[in-house]
Amino acid sequence: MTGTIVKSNERKLTIARSMAEALAQEMRIDPTVFVMGEDIGTLGGVYGNTRGLIEEFGPERVRDTPISETGFIGAAVGAAQDGMRPVVELMFVDFFGVCFDAIYNLMAKNIYFSGGHLKVPMVLMTSTGGGYSDGGQHSQCLYGTFAHLPGMKVVAPSNAYDAKGLMTAALRDDSPVVYMYHKGLQGMGWLGTEPGATVHVPEDSYTVEIGKAKVVREGRDVTIVSLGIGVHHALKAADTLAQQNVSAEVVDLRSLVPLDRDTIRASVAKTGRLIVVDEDYHSFGVSAEVIASVVEHDLSVLKAAPVRVAYPDVPIPYARVMEQFCLPSPAKIVAAWAQMAA
Amino acid sequence: MTPSRDELAWMYRNMVLSRRLEETISKIYFEGKTPVFNMANGPIPGEMHLSNGQEPVAVGVCAHLTAEDIVTATHRPHHQAIAKGVDLDAMVAEIFGKATGLSGGRGGHMHLFDPKVNFACSGIIAQGLGPAVGAALSRKLRGLPGVAVAFLGDGAANQGAFHEAMNLAAVWKLPFVCVIEDNSWGISVPKSASTAVARNDVRAAAYGIPGHYVAGNDPLAIYEVAGEAIARARAGAGPTLIECETYRLAGHFMGDAEGYRPKGEKEALFAADPIPKMRARLLAEFGFSEDELVAAEGAAADRVAAAIRFARDSADPRPEDALTAVFA
């Protein structure tokens, strides 16, 4: 799905491993890069994305923090302004409630408040997503919440190749980058894992440009735009639709800020139909923004009203049957096509 | 630790400079805002938080700092910015919202950033602490010199961010000093009604670090205590918490009717104005001459007048430049 043909002997990595590899490679060449967060040291991160770092770089540069998100994210802002390139982990994006001031009033605004005289080169890694019955405070995506507020770049990889390249790009960016990785794609068996996220990852360092979406499957009849785990739902739905002689194009946004509106528009101009798949809440979010990108640009390309497959506007329930009822799925995307084509 | 004659002159000059600037601002602020007070009008729109009365804390602490040290300030930052050596012309132009301001008019008076002297602000209570602690961590990790000082008001010590940042600075033994300006009011709520301890220095015990309370709004006493704390931080011995008694001579913001003040409080505060007190001591105890002080006061007035002129003469930003400098 990265466009490369994977030979059987080529190395495949999970997203967790590819994130850790990008961090390690950049820490080797840039002494200002360091990592802070809860359980990112000895444990290697709850989601494995800092595994092996403390052994190579030691506890000064791979720094377990107290459970003080306001304190250490605020500290990362100060360190970034002072010439470091901190990487901080917010263990669950749901925890942003205790530290959002440091994120959106400091991290995201200090470049602007300085008139561009300051750089704030930091990466905020945070896990997103549900599907494993972790309840309403440990399962959200909140993509739209972060992408809505100016001053932060936002990326959300769907596979290990992009995960490594986006991480390297984020680490080299002079502006703050929020790096939102989906728990269901991490390759941690205990969370249940989407196998499509584990792909070939080159050993050498490389970047994936922030702000560039990618057409991961070409098609003629409908464009399915998504990000993170939704891309895998979209690809599965496209397989099903192909059996019905419907040719679906799948666009992986990869970045939310900047949003690659050109790629979205070009795809919809070709297919004339748009389905947006988003595990974040339905209203006021990414799905609306994607649709607006098309309709405010050129309404005439649309052959049908766009459809959203998103999380209903309710807190995320615990009971498995309830949560699964709410989550986007390949079947819901196929149903969205049926609604659109009717 | 006693300040040298040069340091005393520097402290007095900066106290007077800050006061003169704020007196001037407070007159200009009402241009266009009478007879009907509308905060949006006049050459200086928006909220205006004056620091007059609190100058001793800024100079007593910043006398020990150089440009490479870091200061984070609050929504009430003028005296600290001046004492830290922020470019006065660019600072005043920022307060006027001009293109020549520190951020070209994007920040305003609560968001003064001057990276050349490592000065930053946050208008959110207690949120300057995290960045100061992080800058201290940056210096420690790189083995570079420099101490970070976070200024905050006494009300900020009741914020969660205060606790998190203090614990972080202490557990990592960072070159950091927290300076609380205790002006005894959080807008209209007295410290006695908001804070479970009479003095915040006792909270240092919670972090296993030294805590000091400096009474009297006395620049020399603040100089002494801050000097020890900053030297301690420079020596790698970790952070210190200092609370300084001070007075806010103005309201929380300009236009504040200050109905919450007990009768007679303002008169007592002005009677205890730290600038005439310092002036008298310089004459009586430190061998300064009347001529010297008059010259310093005249120089401060001239400097303020020049900065105000610079700001007034500067062009407004191009409106469309609002859309730039979001990212580095």
Side-chain angles (χ1 to χ4, degrees):
Chain A
M1 63 172 295
T2 60
T4 48
I5 297 161
V6 179
K7 301 188 192 97
S8 59
N9 61 346
E10 277 185 324
R11 183 183 78 134
K12 285 188 177 185
L13 290 187
T14 62
I15 287 184
R17 293 280 303 277
S18 74
M19 287 173 71
E21 183 168 279
L23 285 164
Q25 287 178 337
E26 211 58 17
M27 289 177 81
R28 282 176 207 136
I29 59 172
D30 185 347
T32 66
V33 177
F34 73 105
V35 188
M36 286 194 284
E38 293 154 10
D39 306 292
I40 58 89
T42 307
L43 187 66
V46 171
Y47 308 107
N49 43 314
T50 55
R51 196 164 291 171
L53 297 182
I54 197 168
E55 289 80 3
E56 181 173 353
F57 301 102
E60 287 290 299
R61 289 181 75 193
V62 184
R63 188 167 276 266
D64 275 323
T65 62
I67 304 166
S68 300
E69 292 87 354
T70 285
F72 71 76
I73 296 174
V77 175
Q81 290 172 185
D82 199 54
M84 301 291 283
R85 289 184 176 272
V87 181
V88 287
E89 168 141 303
L90 178 61
M91 189 188 289
F92 289 77
V93 73
D94 315 65
F95 300 171
F96 88 101
V98 299
C99 58
F100 214 37
D101 195 75
I103 295 169
Y104 93 110
N105 266 328
L106 299 176
M107 181 182 90
K109 290 181 182 163
N110 282 358
I111 291 174
Y112 193 76
F113 285 159
S114 75
H117 296 300
L118 272 179
K119 297 172 181 173
V120 185
M122 61 181 281
V123 180
L124 174 70
M125 312 187 278
T126 188
S127 75
T128 65
Y132 62 102
S133 288
D134 212 1
Q137 294 174 340
H138 295 75
S139 301
Q140 299 169 94
C141 285
L142 304 179
Y143 300 128
T145 304
F146 284 78
H148 178 64
L149 294 160
M152 330 176 236
K153 298 184 180 179
V154 180
V155 301
S158 70
N159 64 76
Y161 178 89
D162 290 344
K164 180 173 174 181
L166 286 169
M167 178 58 81
T168 304
L171 291 166
R172 294 177 187 175
D173 204 295
D174 287 335
S175 299
V177 179
V178 181
Y179 186 108
M180 306 180 85
Y181 58 92
H182 194 287
K183 283 167 277 180
L185 301 178
Q186 276 301 87
M188 308 289 283
W190 54 275
L191 279 170
T193 283
E194 165 54 52
T198 300
V199 298
H200 170 58
V201 176
E203 287 190 38
D204 287 346
S205 187
Y206 61 92
T207 59
V208 167
E209 188 180 351
I210 296 173
K212 285 279 181 267
K214 183 172 182 176
V215 176
V216 293
R217 176 182 175 124
E218 294 200 12
R220 297 178 310 276
D221 301 324
V222 59
T223 297
I224 308 173
V225 174
S226 193
L227 71 162
I229 201 165
V231 173
H232 301 278
H233 299 328
L235 288 167
K236 287 170 191 160
D239 284 341
T240 305
L241 290 171
Q243 292 161 16
Q244 304 171 16
N245 291 320
V246 176
S247 167
E249 178 149 305
V250 178
V251 175
D252 181 352
L253 290 174
R254 305 197 292 189
S255 295
L256 292 174
V257 180
L259 183 63
D260 185 355
R261 300 180 200 272
D262 290 343
T263 295
I264 298 166
R265 288 167 180 159
S267 177
V268 180
K270 182 171 74 170
T271 63
R273 295 183 180 84
L274 172 62
I275 296 170
V276 189
V277 181
D278 183 10
E279 195 185 310
D280 195 5
Y281 301 117
H282 182 94
S283 299
F284 306 100
V286 171
S287 57
E289 189 61 34
V290 168
I291 292 167
S293 298
V294 172
V295 300
E296 68 186 3
H297 178 68
D298 184 0
L299 197 57
S300 73
V301 302
L302 288 172
K303 298 173 189 160
V307 178
R308 293 190 253 183
V309 178
Y311 206 93
D313 294 322
V314 297
I316 293 171
Y318 161 69
R320 184 156 178 85
V321 292
M322 295 171 85
E323 187 186 17
Q324 297 302 317
F325 171 80
C326 291
L327 282 166
S329 65
K332 287 185 180 176
I333 300 167
V334 173
W337 165 261
Q339 173 193 337
M340 181 176 263
Chain B
M1 192 181 288
T2 315
S4 69
R5 196 177 197 285
D6 282 352
E7 286 176 312
L8 286 166
W10 180 91
M11 289 163 72
Y12 184 67
R13 189 165 65 241
N14 280 282
M15 287 172 70
V16 172
L17 186 63
S18 181
R19 180 67 62 89
R20 189 55 56 100
L21 174 68
E22 293 204 331
E23 285 170 351
T24 309
I25 284 175
S26 63
K27 290 194 187 81
I28 297 170
Y29 186 75
F30 284 108
E31 288 178 20
K33 295 190 181 71
T34 52
V36 178
F37 182 75
N38 179 340
M39 201 173 268
N41 291 337
I44 303 177
E47 279 190 88
M48 176 54 61
H49 310 87
L50 297 180
S51 62
N52 52 13
Q54 302 187 185
E55 300 92 343
V57 189
V59 298
V61 173
C62 292
H64 302 283
L65 303 178
T66 67
E68 75 180 5
D69 296 311
I70 299 105
V71 162
T72 63
T74 71
H75 59 290
R76 196 183 304 288
H78 299 159
H79 56 323
Q80 294 145 359
I82 285 172
K84 188 62 174 63
V86 169
D87 182 283
L88 193 70
D89 287 340
M91 170 180 156
V92 175
E94 185 64 33
I95 293 168
F96 277 70
K98 294 301 183 76
T100 53
L102 287 167
S103 73
R106 293 174 185 82
H109 112 104
M110 286 188 272
H111 308 293
L112 303 174
F113 284 75
D114 190 349
K116 288 194 287 293
V117 295
N118 289 302
F119 184 87
C121 289
S122 175
I124 307 291
I125 298 301
Q127 291 291 352
L129 277 97
V133 167
L137 173 63
S138 160
R139 300 302 171 91
K140 186 178 181 185
L141 281 174
R142 289 185 291 169
L144 294 176
V147 169
V149 176
F151 287 100
L152 55 151
D154 55 284
N158 297 324
Q159 278 277 13
F162 170 81
H163 170 61
E164 292 195 18
M166 292 307 300
N167 180 65
L168 212 55
V171 74
W172 289 345
K173 218 173 174 187
L174 299 177
F176 171 72
V177 179
C178 175
V179 178
I180 300 174
E181 296 185 325
D182 173 18
N183 67 19
S184 78
W185 290 99
I187 305 186
S188 68
V189 178
K191 189 183 187 187
S192 58
S194 69
T195 304
V197 290
R199 295 178 169 187
N200 280 304
D201 62 315
V202 302
R203 290 178 166 177
Y207 312 109
I209 63 172
H212 304 284
Y213 190 87
V214 188
N217 204 19
D218 175 357
L220 301 185
I222 293 165
Y223 175 93
E224 184 174 341
V225 171
E228 283 170 19
I230 291 164
R232 187 172 181 278
R234 287 200 203 287
T240 302
L241 172 60
I242 301 170
E243 184 167 55
C244 303
E245 183 185 15
T246 190
Y247 316 118
R248 189 184 80 203
L249 292 174
H252 165 67
F253 65 102
M254 291 205 62
D256 179 357
E258 298 180 76
Y260 48 84
R261 299 254 201 202
K263 215 169 152 53
E265 178 175 289
K266 287 280 275 198
E267 292 74 12
L269 294 184
F270 276 99
D273 188 334
I275 291 181
K277 278 168 84 173
M278 173 115 180
R279 191 179 202 283
R281 287 189 68 184
L282 292 179
L283 291 171
E285 296 173 40
F286 297 101
F288 281 74
S289 72
E290 179 68 23
D291 286 352
E292 252 178 300
L293 298 184
V294 168
E297 290 151 7
D302 291 347
R303 185 68 193 88
V304 167
I308 298 284
R309 202 161 47 241
F310 174 79
R312 283 202 192 265
D313 291 349
S314 291
D316 283 333
R318 298 190 314 160
E320 61 271 30
D321 282 350
L323 306 181
T324 65
V326 176
F327 293 111

